[in-house]
Amino acid sequence: MDKLIILVLVLLSLLAIKLIIANKRIKQMHYLKMKQLKDIFKNLSSKQEILNQKASISTDFQSNYKSDMKKLGEEIFVLQKRIFELLTKK
């Protein structure tokens, strides 16, 4: 009976040691995965910041382009009007 109890205690001790080792390994893997996740998050944040800057530049260009094209159209209209006035005077 004593041998059976000692055998069970040894097996339980071995199981406890195996679980402790597995737990440490899992903790290390978790730490590495969390570090990778933080790095990826920083990378994505910087890429999003760059994308926002490019979108802002694109929006500014678009609004300036529309404004310039409107001014150009108005100027062409004024010039055409003057040309027609000069042609009708001659």
Side-chain angles (χ1 to χ4, degrees), residues 20-48:
I20 289 171
I21 292 171
N23 188 30
K24 284 184 180 181
R25 186 176 40 86
I26 290 171
K27 280 183 181 180
Q28 287 176 348
M29 287 175 51
H30 175 73
Y31 175 77
L32 290 175
K33 295 292 181 180
M34 290 302 293
K35 188 175 184 296
Q36 287 176 348
L37 184 62
K38 286 178 184 177
D39 292 342
I40 290 170
F41 182 74
K42 286 178 185 177
N43 190 14
L44 285 175
S45 294
S46 66
K47 285 182 180 182
Q48 184 172 1

Side-chain angles (χ1 to χ4, degrees), residues 5-26:
I5 293 174
I6 292 174
L7 180 64
V8 169
L9 286 175
V10 169
L11 289 175
L12 287 176
S13 297
L14 291 174
L15 181 64
I17 291 171
K18 185 176 180 179
L19 289 176
I20 289 171
I21 292 171
N23 188 30
K24 284 184 180 181
R25 186 176 40 86
I26 290 171

Side-chain angles (χ1 to χ4, degrees), residues 17-84:
I17 291 171
K18 185 176 180 179
L19 289 176
I20 289 171
I21 292 171
N23 188 30
K24 284 184 180 181
R25 186 176 40 86
I26 290 171
K27 280 183 181 180
Q28 287 176 348
M29 287 175 51
H30 175 73
Y31 175 77
L32 290 175
K33 295 292 181 180
M34 290 302 293
K35 188 175 184 296
Q36 287 176 348
L37 184 62
K38 286 178 184 177
D39 292 342
I40 290 170
F41 182 74
K42 286 178 185 177
N43 190 14
L44 285 175
S45 294
S46 66
K47 285 182 180 182
Q48 184 172 1
E49 186 176 324
I50 291 169
L51 182 63
N52 286 341
Q53 289 172 353
K54 287 181 179 181
S56 175
I57 291 169
S58 175
T59 303
D60 290 344
F61 175 78
Q62 216 171 19
S63 64
N64 289 339
Y65 177 78
K66 287 180 182 179
S67 148
D68 290 346
M69 291 308 281
K70 184 178 179 183
K71 288 177 186 176
L72 183 62
E74 291 171 358
E75 204 170 308
I76 289 172
F77 178 73
V78 169
L79 290 174
Q80 286 176 343
K81 186 176 175 183
R82 284 187 186 168
I83 290 173
F84 286 129

